[in-house]
Amino acid sequence: MDNEIKREIIMENYLHPYNKQTIEDDKYIKVNSNNESCIDNIDLQILIKSGRISDIKFNGEACAISTASTSIMIKELLNKTVSEALNFIHEFEAMVNEEKYDENNLGEALVFDDIFKQKNRKTCATLPYKGIKKALMEYEKEH
Amino acid sequence: MNREDFPMLKQDIIYFDNGATSFKPQVVIDKMNEYYTNYSANAHRGDYDISYRVDMEYENVRDLVKDFINANSKEEIVFTSGATESLNLIVNGFFEKNIEQGDEIVITKSEHASNVIPWFRLAKNKNATIKYIELNENHEVTMEALQKIITPKTKIIALAQVTNVIGDERPIKKICALAHEHNIFVVVDGSQSVPHMKVDVQDLDCDFLCFSAHKMCGPTGVGVLYGKKELLEAVEPSNLGGGMNESFDNEYEVLLKPLPTRLEAGTPNIAGVIGLGAAINYLNKIGMDNINKYEKELREYLISKLEKISYIDIINLHSSSGIVAFNVDNIFSQDVAYYLNRYNICVRAGNHCAKILKSETGVKNTCRISLYFYNTKQEIDKLIELLADKEKIIAEMF
């Protein structure tokens, strides 16, 4: 992906993050994700209907990279089954860890394909994935 | 000032995070290396020459610290691993015994975590109450506000002399005078003051003072607990073991050594303490008053420049120390810090361990610049040049 396009996508998702809001609804699974090494701290709310992710909302304090990464992640995971979502997360982790991954599977999240070059921002990009992975794995165990 | 003394400053780096830790001058590094290279024995075992030298060097630092903060005697100086351990040692070893149900502990919302959380636990265990002094519009402690919060149940006032985000200097001498009229103990966290100004414990009349070596050109892992002798005598050691006992013959009869050894169980951080001594000698040579005067000048210069940037909000405009906390409108503090890092400028973003401060200032996270005597106006100019271009910040924040 061209660097200018990457920038635009990140900026757009930072300035107008998707579903940055909180909802009062017990049907949503809640999970917090924060980085020990920095101050990013977000809460995710996930609604799963018959094994499929039907909504994700987030709120909190986060830098441009974390905010954009969360916004992009939410859009990419919507309507995926839990196991499809976990596969997506797995591919994303492989990408940021410089392992083998299939770039056809990652959609807009590809904007972070060279984030590993900035070691101190890798944790920002992976922040939402850390939280949602935990929540989805627990869901899978219980269902 | 004295930039050539610091190996770290030979790198192309502008370091504005001195509130977190300071760089070390070569003389401190050399002094510690000399211990490991030439007389690397244990302390308190003076049966042979090199061990005798360890004792001499180690105890000499106690004298240096005593003079540095003008303590009454060297028994009042205890070496710890840092201000955090010093604070925990007196909370657990002294105040645990001297506080009762319903007593009140007075702190503020701008204290560092290490002067908050130990008190929380003490209050919880003893059913005591934490009370917060109301800060004025500049987030400072005033004598009026202190007077208002003191009750017959107040037992402890625990305050930083200079706070680590707001950077305000508290009137500790007046606070001690008022506190002692009411038989209240005063604990002073000197982490952000001792490295930057002359601190005289007898003049202040504080009961305890805690500080760390690494923020004052010394090594990490060493700190000091100062306490008035009669109070330190009553401190229960949190560690028992070698070096601090006089004798023991069965499990019920352990005779402890006198102060301050009694509170320093185990092999101490010998190299660290010796490094602290070198740091004190170094600072004394420059002169604490010179350091303080220069830092105030730097701060004024920085503020005068920052104030001119319309989209920068300075959180602690009226403080006097070298700590300046600010935000760039609509940009997350961490993104500003990352942007500056591209130009090798080190500032810290976050809550700076003062997590209850947000309810006072309404601001959760900030960028913090904390100056030391080796910073320069040229460095500030470079920072201002980068902050004065908001388009550039946005374009380069990731």
Side-chain angles (χ1 to χ4, degrees), chain B residues 87 105-120 130-133 135 139-141 157-170 172 175 187-192 351-358 360:
Chain B
L87 284 159
I105 303 161
V106 170
I107 62 173
T108 72
K109 290 197 172 165
S110 49
E111 301 307 308
H112 184 279
S114 50
N115 193 30
V116 175
I117 309 181
W119 300 117
F120 279 179
I130 304 278
K131 291 179 83 179
Y132 302 97
I133 304 170
L135 304 178
H139 318 299
E140 296 158 342
V141 171
I157 298 172
L159 297 173
Q161 186 168 16
V162 171
T163 56
N164 75 314
V165 182
I166 300 300
D168 56 316
E169 188 190 335
R170 272 79 177 265
I172 297 293
I175 291 172
V187 176
V188 178
D189 173 2
S191 304
Q192 302 292 346
N351 54 50
H352 320 292
C353 294
K355 295 193 186 196
I356 47 178
L357 179 62
K358 59 180 183 281
E360 278 291 334

Short mmCIF file of all heavy atoms in Angstrom, two decimals, chain B residues 87 105-120 130-133 135 139-141 157-170 172 175 187-192 351-358 360:
data_model
loop_
_atom_site.label_atom_id
_atom_site.label_comp_id
_atom_site.label_asym_id
_atom_site.label_seq_id
_atom_site.Cartn_x
_atom_site.Cartn_y
_atom_site.Cartn_z
N LEU B 87 9.76 5.61 52.00
CA LEU B 87 8.38 5.92 52.42
C LEU B 87 7.70 4.67 52.99
O LEU B 87 7.07 4.72 54.04
CB LEU B 87 7.58 6.47 51.23
CG LEU B 87 7.89 7.93 50.87
CD1 LEU B 87 7.49 8.27 49.44
CD2 LEU B 87 7.20 8.90 51.85
N ILE B 105 -4.95 10.99 58.04
CA ILE B 105 -3.70 11.18 57.31
C ILE B 105 -3.98 12.21 56.23
O ILE B 105 -4.89 12.02 55.42
CB ILE B 105 -3.25 9.85 56.67
CG1 ILE B 105 -3.10 8.76 57.73
CG2 ILE B 105 -1.96 10.04 55.87
CD1 ILE B 105 -3.12 7.35 57.18
N VAL B 106 -3.19 13.28 56.22
CA VAL B 106 -3.45 14.36 55.27
C VAL B 106 -2.43 14.32 54.12
O VAL B 106 -1.22 14.34 54.36
CB VAL B 106 -3.40 15.73 55.99
CG1 VAL B 106 -3.41 16.86 54.99
CG2 VAL B 106 -4.57 15.85 56.96
N ILE B 107 -2.95 14.21 52.90
CA ILE B 107 -2.08 14.27 51.71
C ILE B 107 -2.75 15.23 50.71
O ILE B 107 -3.67 15.96 51.07
CB ILE B 107 -1.85 12.87 51.08
CG1 ILE B 107 -3.15 12.24 50.60
CG2 ILE B 107 -1.14 11.95 52.05
CD1 ILE B 107 -2.96 10.94 49.81
N THR B 108 -2.28 15.23 49.45
CA THR B 108 -2.99 15.99 48.42
C THR B 108 -3.18 15.10 47.20
O THR B 108 -2.58 14.02 47.12
CB THR B 108 -2.21 17.23 47.94
OG1 THR B 108 -1.09 16.79 47.16
CG2 THR B 108 -1.73 18.09 49.09
N LYS B 109 -3.99 15.58 46.28
CA LYS B 109 -4.23 14.80 45.07
C LYS B 109 -3.11 14.94 44.06
O LYS B 109 -3.14 14.33 43.01
CB LYS B 109 -5.57 15.18 44.47
CG LYS B 109 -6.70 14.69 45.37
CD LYS B 109 -8.03 14.65 44.70
CE LYS B 109 -9.02 13.96 45.63
NZ LYS B 109 -10.41 14.17 45.25
N SER B 110 -2.11 15.76 44.36
CA SER B 110 -1.01 15.85 43.39
C SER B 110 0.22 15.08 43.83
O SER B 110 1.30 15.25 43.27
CB SER B 110 -0.67 17.32 43.07
OG SER B 110 -0.51 18.06 44.23
N GLU B 111 0.06 14.20 44.83
CA GLU B 111 1.22 13.40 45.25
C GLU B 111 1.50 12.29 44.25
O GLU B 111 0.61 11.80 43.56
CB GLU B 111 0.95 12.78 46.63
CG GLU B 111 0.65 13.77 47.74
CD GLU B 111 1.69 14.87 47.88
OE1 GLU B 111 2.88 14.54 47.98
OE2 GLU B 111 1.30 16.04 47.87
N HIS B 112 2.76 11.87 44.25
CA HIS B 112 3.20 10.72 43.46
C HIS B 112 2.65 9.44 44.11
O HIS B 112 2.46 9.39 45.33
CB HIS B 112 4.72 10.70 43.46
CG HIS B 112 5.34 9.64 42.62
ND1 HIS B 112 5.48 8.34 43.06
CD2 HIS B 112 5.86 9.67 41.38
CE1 HIS B 112 6.08 7.63 42.11
NE2 HIS B 112 6.31 8.41 41.08
N ALA B 113 2.45 8.41 43.32
CA ALA B 113 1.90 7.14 43.80
C ALA B 113 2.59 6.63 45.07
O ALA B 113 1.92 6.10 45.97
CB ALA B 113 2.02 6.08 42.70
N SER B 114 3.90 6.82 45.18
CA SER B 114 4.60 6.26 46.33
C SER B 114 4.33 7.04 47.62
O SER B 114 4.63 6.57 48.71
CB SER B 114 6.10 6.17 46.07
OG SER B 114 6.58 7.40 45.59
N ASN B 115 3.74 8.22 47.49
CA ASN B 115 3.31 8.95 48.68
C ASN B 115 1.79 8.91 48.81
O ASN B 115 1.19 9.73 49.47
CB ASN B 115 3.81 10.40 48.64
CG ASN B 115 3.66 11.11 49.99
OD1 ASN B 115 3.71 10.47 51.05
ND2 ASN B 115 3.44 12.41 49.95
N VAL B 116 1.17 7.97 48.13
CA VAL B 116 -0.29 7.81 48.21
C VAL B 116 -0.64 6.37 48.61
O VAL B 116 -1.27 6.12 49.65
CB VAL B 116 -0.97 8.13 46.85
CG1 VAL B 116 -2.47 7.83 46.93
CG2 VAL B 116 -0.75 9.58 46.46
N ILE B 117 -0.18 5.43 47.79
CA ILE B 117 -0.66 4.05 47.98
C ILE B 117 -0.25 3.44 49.33
O ILE B 117 -1.05 2.77 49.95
CB ILE B 117 -0.22 3.16 46.79
CG1 ILE B 117 -0.60 3.85 45.47
CG2 ILE B 117 -0.93 1.81 46.85
CD1 ILE B 117 -0.22 3.04 44.24
N PRO B 118 0.98 3.69 49.82
CA PRO B 118 1.29 3.14 51.15
C PRO B 118 0.35 3.67 52.23
O PRO B 118 -0.04 2.94 53.14
CB PRO B 118 2.73 3.60 51.41
CG PRO B 118 3.31 3.81 50.04
CD PRO B 118 2.17 4.33 49.21
N TRP B 119 -0.05 4.94 52.09
CA TRP B 119 -0.99 5.51 53.07
C TRP B 119 -2.37 4.90 52.92
O TRP B 119 -3.09 4.70 53.91
CB TRP B 119 -1.07 7.04 52.93
CG TRP B 119 0.24 7.74 53.12
CD1 TRP B 119 0.93 8.47 52.20
CD2 TRP B 119 1.03 7.78 54.32
NE1 TRP B 119 2.09 8.95 52.74
CE2 TRP B 119 2.19 8.56 54.03
CE3 TRP B 119 0.89 7.24 55.60
CZ2 TRP B 119 3.18 8.80 54.98
CZ3 TRP B 119 1.88 7.48 56.55
CH2 TRP B 119 3.00 8.24 56.24
N PHE B 120 -2.76 4.62 51.68
CA PHE B 120 -4.07 3.96 51.46
C PHE B 120 -4.13 2.65 52.24
O PHE B 120 -5.10 2.35 52.91
CB PHE B 120 -4.26 3.64 49.96
CG PHE B 120 -4.73 4.80 49.13
CD1 PHE B 120 -4.92 4.63 47.76
CD2 PHE B 120 -5.00 6.05 49.68
CE1 PHE B 120 -5.35 5.68 46.95
CE2 PHE B 120 -5.43 7.11 48.89
CZ PHE B 120 -5.60 6.93 47.52
N ILE B 130 -8.04 8.98 54.99
CA ILE B 130 -7.18 9.84 54.17
C ILE B 130 -7.94 11.13 53.88
O ILE B 130 -9.09 11.10 53.47
CB ILE B 130 -6.86 9.16 52.81
CG1 ILE B 130 -6.23 7.79 53.01
CG2 ILE B 130 -6.03 10.09 51.92
CD1 ILE B 130 -4.75 7.80 53.30
N LYS B 131 -7.31 12.26 54.13
CA LYS B 131 -7.94 13.54 53.78
C LYS B 131 -7.03 14.31 52.82
O LYS B 131 -5.82 14.27 52.97
CB LYS B 131 -8.23 14.35 55.05
CG LYS B 131 -9.34 13.70 55.89
CD LYS B 131 -9.62 14.46 57.15
CE LYS B 131 -10.56 15.62 56.91
NZ LYS B 131 -10.82 16.35 58.19
N TYR B 132 -7.66 15.00 51.87
CA TYR B 132 -6.90 15.73 50.86
C TYR B 132 -6.99 17.23 51.11
O TYR B 132 -8.09 17.77 51.23
CB TYR B 132 -7.46 15.43 49.46
CG TYR B 132 -7.43 13.96 49.11
CD1 TYR B 132 -8.56 13.16 49.28
CD2 TYR B 132 -6.27 13.37 48.62
CE1 TYR B 132 -8.54 11.81 48.96
CE2 TYR B 132 -6.24 12.02 48.30
CZ TYR B 132 -7.37 11.24 48.48
OH TYR B 132 -7.35 9.90 48.16
N ILE B 133 -5.85 17.88 51.17
CA ILE B 133 -5.86 19.34 51.30
C ILE B 133 -6.43 19.93 50.01
O ILE B 133 -6.02 19.53 48.92
CB ILE B 133 -4.43 19.89 51.49
CG1 ILE B 133 -3.76 19.23 52.69
CG2 ILE B 133 -4.46 21.42 51.66
CD1 ILE B 133 -2.27 19.55 52.81
N LEU B 135 -6.57 22.19 47.05
CA LEU B 135 -5.53 22.99 46.38
C LEU B 135 -6.16 24.26 45.81
O LEU B 135 -7.34 24.28 45.47
CB LEU B 135 -4.89 22.16 45.27
CG LEU B 135 -4.30 20.80 45.70
CD1 LEU B 135 -3.72 20.05 44.50
CD2 LEU B 135 -3.21 20.99 46.76
N HIS B 139 -3.29 24.90 41.84
CA HIS B 139 -3.03 23.54 42.32
C HIS B 139 -1.96 23.53 43.41
O HIS B 139 -1.18 22.58 43.52
CB HIS B 139 -2.63 22.60 41.18
CG HIS B 139 -3.44 22.79 39.93
ND1 HIS B 139 -4.80 22.60 39.90
CD2 HIS B 139 -3.10 23.19 38.68
CE1 HIS B 139 -5.25 22.86 38.69
NE2 HIS B 139 -4.24 23.24 37.93
N GLU B 140 -1.91 24.60 44.21
CA GLU B 140 -0.91 24.70 45.28
C GLU B 140 -1.55 24.50 46.65
O GLU B 140 -2.74 24.73 46.82
CB GLU B 140 -0.25 26.09 45.25
CG GLU B 140 0.54 26.36 43.99
CD GLU B 140 0.74 27.84 43.72
OE1 GLU B 140 0.01 28.68 44.30
OE2 GLU B 140 1.61 28.17 42.91
N VAL B 141 -0.68 24.14 47.61
CA VAL B 141 -1.12 24.03 49.00
C VAL B 141 -0.99 25.40 49.65
O VAL B 141 0.05 26.03 49.57
CB VAL B 141 -0.24 23.02 49.77
CG1 VAL B 141 -0.53 23.07 51.26
CG2 VAL B 141 -0.43 21.61 49.23
N ILE B 157 0.91 14.44 58.22
CA ILE B 157 0.82 15.20 56.98
C ILE B 157 1.96 14.70 56.11
O ILE B 157 3.13 14.77 56.51
CB ILE B 157 0.95 16.72 57.22
CG1 ILE B 157 -0.18 17.22 58.13
CG2 ILE B 157 0.94 17.49 55.90
CD1 ILE B 157 -0.02 18.67 58.57
N ALA B 158 1.63 14.17 54.94
CA ALA B 158 2.67 13.62 54.06
C ALA B 158 2.60 14.33 52.72
O ALA B 158 1.61 14.21 51.99
CB ALA B 158 2.47 12.12 53.88
N LEU B 159 3.66 15.07 52.41
CA LEU B 159 3.64 15.91 51.20
C LEU B 159 4.97 15.86 50.47
O LEU B 159 6.03 15.77 51.10
CB LEU B 159 3.38 17.37 51.59
CG LEU B 159 2.06 17.73 52.26
CD1 LEU B 159 2.10 19.19 52.70
CD2 LEU B 159 0.90 17.49 51.30
N ALA B 160 4.89 15.97 49.15
CA ALA B 160 6.10 16.20 48.39
C ALA B 160 6.51 17.66 48.62
O ALA B 160 5.65 18.53 48.68
CB ALA B 160 5.85 15.96 46.91
N GLN B 161 7.81 17.90 48.71
CA GLN B 161 8.25 19.30 48.84
C GLN B 161 8.03 20.03 47.52
O GLN B 161 7.57 21.16 47.50
CB GLN B 161 9.73 19.35 49.25
CG GLN B 161 10.19 20.77 49.53
CD GLN B 161 11.55 20.81 50.21
OE1 GLN B 161 12.28 19.83 50.20
NE2 GLN B 161 11.89 21.95 50.79
N VAL B 162 8.37 19.32 46.42
CA VAL B 162 8.03 19.81 45.08
C VAL B 162 7.30 18.66 44.40
O VAL B 162 7.78 17.52 44.44
CB VAL B 162 9.30 20.19 44.29
CG1 VAL B 162 8.97 20.47 42.83
CG2 VAL B 162 9.98 21.41 44.91
N THR B 163 6.15 18.92 43.80
CA THR B 163 5.40 17.81 43.20
C THR B 163 5.90 17.51 41.79
O THR B 163 6.50 18.36 41.15
CB THR B 163 3.88 18.11 43.14
OG1 THR B 163 3.68 19.32 42.42
CG2 THR B 163 3.30 18.20 44.53
N ASN B 164 5.61 16.29 41.33
CA ASN B 164 6.27 15.83 40.10
C ASN B 164 5.51 16.15 38.81
O ASN B 164 6.03 15.89 37.74
CB ASN B 164 6.58 14.34 40.20
CG ASN B 164 5.36 13.48 40.01
OD1 ASN B 164 4.32 13.76 40.60
ND2 ASN B 164 5.46 12.47 39.19
N VAL B 165 4.30 16.67 38.90
CA VAL B 165 3.60 17.09 37.68
C VAL B 165 3.36 18.60 37.70
O VAL B 165 3.64 19.30 36.74
CB VAL B 165 2.25 16.35 37.51
CG1 VAL B 165 1.59 16.79 36.21
CG2 VAL B 165 2.46 14.85 37.52
N ILE B 166 2.86 19.09 38.83
CA ILE B 166 2.59 20.53 38.95
C ILE B 166 3.89 21.29 39.22
O ILE B 166 4.05 22.44 38.81
CB ILE B 166 1.55 20.79 40.07
CG1 ILE B 166 0.23 20.06 39.76
CG2 ILE B 166 1.31 22.27 40.26
CD1 ILE B 166 -0.42 20.46 38.47
N GLY B 167 4.81 20.66 39.92
CA GLY B 167 6.10 21.30 40.16
C GLY B 167 6.04 22.44 41.15
O GLY B 167 6.95 23.28 41.20
N ASP B 168 4.99 22.50 41.95
CA ASP B 168 4.86 23.59 42.94
C ASP B 168 5.69 23.25 44.16
O ASP B 168 5.80 22.09 44.55
CB ASP B 168 3.40 23.77 43.34
CG ASP B 168 2.78 22.49 43.88
OD1 ASP B 168 3.02 21.42 43.26
OD2 ASP B 168 2.11 22.53 44.92
N GLU B 169 6.28 24.28 44.77
CA GLU B 169 7.04 24.06 46.00
C GLU B 169 6.15 24.37 47.20
O GLU B 169 5.55 25.44 47.27
CB GLU B 169 8.29 24.95 46.02
CG GLU B 169 9.19 24.60 47.19
CD GLU B 169 10.31 25.62 47.40
OE1 GLU B 169 10.70 26.31 46.45
OE2 GLU B 169 10.77 25.70 48.56
N ARG B 170 6.08 23.42 48.12
CA ARG B 170 5.22 23.63 49.29
C ARG B 170 5.97 24.35 50.41
O ARG B 170 7.17 24.13 50.59
CB ARG B 170 4.74 22.27 49.83
CG ARG B 170 3.47 21.75 49.19
CD ARG B 170 3.71 21.13 47.82
NE ARG B 170 2.49 20.60 47.26
CZ ARG B 170 2.13 19.31 47.37
NH1 ARG B 170 2.91 18.45 47.98
NH2 ARG B 170 0.99 18.89 46.85
N ILE B 172 7.10 24.00 53.32
CA ILE B 172 7.27 22.91 54.30
C ILE B 172 7.61 23.44 55.70
O ILE B 172 7.12 22.93 56.70
CB ILE B 172 8.37 21.93 53.81
CG1 ILE B 172 7.94 21.26 52.49
CG2 ILE B 172 8.67 20.88 54.87
CD1 ILE B 172 6.75 20.33 52.57
N ILE B 175 4.53 24.58 57.29
CA ILE B 175 3.66 23.42 57.50
C ILE B 175 4.12 22.64 58.73
O ILE B 175 3.31 22.25 59.57
CB ILE B 175 3.64 22.52 56.24
CG1 ILE B 175 2.91 23.24 55.10
CG2 ILE B 175 2.99 21.17 56.53
CD1 ILE B 175 3.00 22.56 53.75
N VAL B 187 5.84 14.11 57.03
CA VAL B 187 6.68 13.29 56.16
C VAL B 187 6.87 14.06 54.85
O VAL B 187 5.88 14.47 54.24
CB VAL B 187 6.00 11.93 55.87
CG1 VAL B 187 6.83 11.12 54.87
CG2 VAL B 187 5.79 11.16 57.16
N VAL B 188 8.11 14.24 54.45
CA VAL B 188 8.37 15.00 53.22
C VAL B 188 8.97 14.09 52.15
O VAL B 188 9.98 13.42 52.39
CB VAL B 188 9.30 16.20 53.49
CG1 VAL B 188 9.61 16.95 52.19
CG2 VAL B 188 8.67 17.14 54.51
N ASP B 189 8.33 14.07 50.99
CA ASP B 189 8.89 13.36 49.83
C ASP B 189 9.77 14.37 49.08
O ASP B 189 9.28 15.30 48.46
CB ASP B 189 7.74 12.85 48.95
CG ASP B 189 8.23 12.26 47.63
OD1 ASP B 189 9.46 12.19 47.42
OD2 ASP B 189 7.37 11.85 46.82
N GLY B 190 11.07 14.15 49.18
CA GLY B 190 12.01 15.12 48.61
C GLY B 190 12.52 14.72 47.23
O GLY B 190 13.49 15.31 46.73
N SER B 191 11.86 13.76 46.59
CA SER B 191 12.37 13.23 45.32
C SER B 191 12.60 14.32 44.27
O SER B 191 13.57 14.27 43.53
CB SER B 191 11.38 12.21 44.75
OG SER B 191 11.16 11.19 45.67
N GLN B 192 11.69 15.30 44.21
CA GLN B 192 11.80 16.34 43.19
C GLN B 192 12.39 17.64 43.74
O GLN B 192 12.49 18.62 43.01
CB GLN B 192 10.42 16.63 42.56
CG GLN B 192 9.75 15.44 41.93
CD GLN B 192 10.46 14.94 40.67
OE1 GLN B 192 11.32 15.62 40.09
NE2 GLN B 192 10.11 13.74 40.24
N ASN B 351 0.32 10.25 32.93
CA ASN B 351 -0.18 10.83 34.19
C ASN B 351 0.95 10.96 35.21
O ASN B 351 0.75 11.45 36.31
CB ASN B 351 -1.32 9.98 34.75
CG ASN B 351 -0.92 8.53 34.88
OD1 ASN B 351 0.12 8.22 35.45
ND2 ASN B 351 -1.73 7.62 34.36
N HIS B 352 2.14 10.46 34.85
CA HIS B 352 3.35 10.64 35.67
C HIS B 352 3.17 10.12 37.09
O HIS B 352 3.64 10.73 38.06
CB HIS B 352 3.79 12.10 35.68
CG HIS B 352 3.66 12.77 34.35
ND1 HIS B 352 4.44 12.42 33.27
CD2 HIS B 352 2.80 13.71 33.89
CE1 HIS B 352 4.09 13.14 32.22
NE2 HIS B 352 3.10 13.92 32.56
N CYS B 353 2.46 9.00 37.22
CA CYS B 353 2.27 8.35 38.53
C CYS B 353 1.43 9.18 39.50
O CYS B 353 1.39 8.88 40.68
CB CYS B 353 3.59 7.98 39.20
SG CYS B 353 4.49 6.73 38.32
N ALA B 354 0.80 10.25 39.02
CA ALA B 354 -0.06 11.05 39.90
C ALA B 354 -1.49 10.84 39.42
O ALA B 354 -2.11 11.72 38.85
CB ALA B 354 0.34 12.51 39.86
N LYS B 355 -2.01 9.65 39.67
CA LYS B 355 -3.26 9.25 39.02
C LYS B 355 -4.50 9.89 39.61
O LYS B 355 -5.57 9.84 39.00
CB LYS B 355 -3.39 7.72 39.04
CG LYS B 355 -2.31 7.07 38.21
CD LYS B 355 -2.55 5.62 37.93
CE LYS B 355 -1.32 5.08 37.22
NZ LYS B 355 -1.46 3.84 36.57
N ILE B 356 -4.40 10.47 40.81
CA ILE B 356 -5.60 11.12 41.35
C ILE B 356 -5.58 12.62 41.07
O ILE B 356 -6.51 13.33 41.41
CB ILE B 356 -5.81 10.84 42.86
CG1 ILE B 356 -4.52 11.04 43.65
CG2 ILE B 356 -6.36 9.43 43.06
CD1 ILE B 356 -4.67 10.81 45.15
N LEU B 357 -4.52 13.08 40.40
CA LEU B 357 -4.42 14.51 40.09
C LEU B 357 -5.49 14.96 39.10
O LEU B 357 -5.93 16.10 39.11
CB LEU B 357 -3.02 14.81 39.53
CG LEU B 357 -2.71 16.24 39.12
CD1 LEU B 357 -2.80 17.18 40.31
CD2 LEU B 357 -1.31 16.33 38.50
N LYS B 358 -5.95 14.04 38.25
CA LYS B 358 -6.90 14.42 37.20
C LYS B 358 -8.17 15.06 37.76
O LYS B 358 -8.76 15.92 37.12
CB LYS B 358 -7.24 13.23 36.32
CG LYS B 358 -7.84 12.04 37.04
CD LYS B 358 -8.15 10.92 36.07
CE LYS B 358 -8.83 9.75 36.76
NZ LYS B 358 -7.86 8.90 37.49
N GLU B 360 -8.27 17.07 40.14
CA GLU B 360 -7.94 18.45 40.49
C GLU B 360 -7.83 19.33 39.25
O GLU B 360 -8.36 20.43 39.20
CB GLU B 360 -6.58 18.49 41.22
CG GLU B 360 -6.65 18.16 42.69
CD GLU B 360 -7.35 19.24 43.50
OE1 GLU B 360 -7.36 20.40 43.07
OE2 GLU B 360 -7.91 18.90 44.56
#
